[in-house]
Amino acid sequence: MLRDQIQSETVTAMKAKDKERTAALRLIGAKIKDRDIELRTADTKPEDDELVTDVLLKMAKQRRESIEMYEDGGRTELAEKEKSELAVIEEFLPKQMSEDETRAAIAQIKTDLGADGMKDMGRVMGELKARHGATLDMSKASGLVKEALS
């Protein structure tokens, strides 16, 4: 289980006195706990690994956006901190698909659904997320889907 792996990595980092890694892992743990609290009243709860992966994907996206903003603003020290957190987060995420693999997946879904124009973009994106959600950067995939459907 991903949650247990994160917990054991946190303990290992604490024992190694690796402050940056410990802080990043504790942040991940806190975000997962926040999501657990949000879902207490939900009717249906996702599978645990799915929930943790979703939290990690959102955290990774936030870090990438922050890195870009800090670098544009000339705040390299803050960008470096975000990059180190992103590296820890990405350790627990499944390997991301390459651009070529993403294009192939889009072509397959386009064929399966019989999509032929921009009006089908929502269906293609929905199916793409259902099949490959954890292994894709959906913001990049969106541009590739537009390109494939136009």
Side-chain angles (χ1 to χ4, degrees):
M1 299 245 315
L2 211 44
R3 185 185 301 252
D4 296 336
Q5 185 182 353
I6 291 168
Q7 297 267 245
S8 67
E9 287 291 324
T10 304
V11 171
T12 304
M14 288 168 57
K15 287 180 180 177
K17 294 185 171 48
D18 186 348
K19 289 182 181 181
E20 286 183 15
R21 184 170 172 77
T22 303
L25 288 165
R26 283 182 171 167
L27 188 64
I28 292 169
K31 289 290 182 187
I32 293 169
K33 272 198 166 74
D34 287 347
R35 180 54 82 73
D36 287 341
I37 292 167
E38 286 174 22
L39 292 174
R40 279 185 187 164
T41 59
D43 294 333
T44 58
K45 295 180 181 171
E47 193 176 312
D48 194 55
D49 276 355
E50 188 178 311
L51 177 137
V52 173
T53 302
D54 186 47
V55 169
L56 292 171
L57 285 170
K58 286 180 181 175
M59 289 179 73
K61 182 180 179 195
Q62 289 171 340
R63 296 303 172 286
R64 286 188 196 100
E65 290 170 356
S66 296
I67 290 167
E68 190 176 312
M69 285 177 17
Y70 288 142
E71 286 177 345
D72 289 347
R75 302 293 305 269
T76 55
E77 70 283 350
L78 292 174
E80 289 304 315
K81 182 179 183 293
E82 294 288 325
K83 284 179 185 176
S84 68
E85 285 181 8
L86 180 61
V88 173
I89 292 166
E90 286 178 338
E91 286 178 30
F92 301 102
L93 287 172
K95 182 183 169 290
Q96 297 292 297
M97 292 172 69
S98 70
E99 188 170 327
D100 292 336
E101 292 171 327
T102 304
R103 287 181 192 278
I106 291 169
Q108 181 63 45
I109 290 170
K110 191 175 153 185
T111 304
D112 292 350
L113 296 178
D116 59 355
M118 288 303 290
K119 67 183 184 325
D120 297 316
M121 184 166 173
R123 284 188 2 202
V124 172
M125 287 296 292
E127 187 64 26
L128 190 64
K129 184 169 181 144
R131 291 186 192 179
H132 308 286
T135 59
L136 266 182
D137 181 352
M138 292 307 285
S139 59
K140 290 179 184 170
S142 174
L144 295 174
V145 169
K146 280 181 188 173
E147 184 181 305
L149 292 175
S150 57

